[in-house]
Amino acid sequence: MKETTAGNAAVGTRPPSAARERLLTTASRLFYTEGIRAVGVDRVMAEAEVARGTFYRHFEGKDDLVRSYLEAKDMGIRTQVAAATRATGGGAALLHGIAHSIGEDVCGPGFRGCPFINAAAEYPQREHPVHQAVLAHRAWFHQVVEDAFRSVGHSEPEQSAATMVALRDGAMVAGYLNDAGAAARTMVHGAAMLIAAG
């Protein structure tokens, strides 16, 4: 999937660079499994088998790579939600589908929490581009859920969306720290209660 990020500006309208894709794939794996601050760009370059000069043709530095990693995660989720919206027609079915999908993620192999929450913890300064990428994703997700509640005539779509986002955050943390199955069930049950309360 082609990403429209500042990190891709260097390649213009040419097809995505194989080296850039290897760097992003490697960074995504390492940042998610080991933590962003714990992984240096030298290791990403080494494991992606990309030379330093090639790295800097695609990214301004580590922060740009981290931002691009989060934007790629964001685009992947947006693509999944768009497909789910087409499949369900939106509304309550979409909300149920999102809740079940979050539950499946929490119970998935190698789950290590939410990549966006993890990144925000490592980049707490709100004005930092990495933190801004996290906020952009969260604002989009909140709006998708709010629109779905509104489309079924829910009496409090904004508050219900905020509650569902909080349920998601809680499920992501609980799924990593405690019983993943229980966290998934709580997410699905909480979403169902919100939908029914409309």
Side-chain angles (χ1 to χ4, degrees), residues 9-55:
V11 296
T13 58
R14 290 179 291 167
S17 158
R20 184 179 191 278
E21 293 305 310
R22 286 202 310 277
L23 285 163
L24 270 176
T25 299
T26 303
S28 180
R29 173 176 53 82
L30 293 173
F31 290 162
Y32 185 69
T33 58
E34 299 185 24
I36 296 169
R37 299 287 192 191
V39 176
V41 292
D42 286 344
R43 183 170 172 206
V44 174
M45 287 186 281
E47 294 201 19
E49 299 181 338
V50 171
R52 182 173 298 276
T54 303
F55 174 86

Side-chain angles (χ1 to χ4, degrees), residues 25 30 44 48 56 65 68 75 78 82 93 105 135 138 149 162 175:
T25 299
L30 293 173
V44 174
Y56 284 105
L65 177 63
S68 295
M75 288 303 297
R78 289 181 190 234
D105 286 347
L135 295 180
R138 291 177 64 80
F149 276 115

Side-chain angles (χ1 to χ4, degrees), residues 51-120:
R52 182 173 298 276
T54 303
F55 174 86
Y56 284 105
R57 277 201 298 275
H58 295 291
F59 302 100
E60 295 174 6
K62 182 176 178 180
D63 286 352
D64 191 33
L65 177 63
V66 174
R67 182 187 52 75
S68 295
Y69 146 69
L70 291 174
E71 288 178 349
K73 291 282 189 190
D74 172 68
M75 288 303 297
I77 294 169
R78 289 181 190 234
T79 299
Q80 290 177 333
V81 169
T85 302
R86 289 191 298 272
T88 62
L94 175 63
L95 291 167
H96 283 294
I98 288 173
H100 281 280
S101 178
I102 291 167
E104 289 170 6
D105 286 347
V106 164
C107 292
F111 180 74
R112 198 180 167 280
C114 170
F116 298 96
I117 293 174
N118 294 349

Side-chain angles (χ1 to χ4, degrees), residues 56 60 68 91 104 130 140 143 147 154 161 166 178:
Y56 284 105
E60 295 174 6
S68 295
E104 289 170 6
V130 170
W140 165 80
Q143 193 62 57
D147 290 346
H154 202 284
N178 299 311

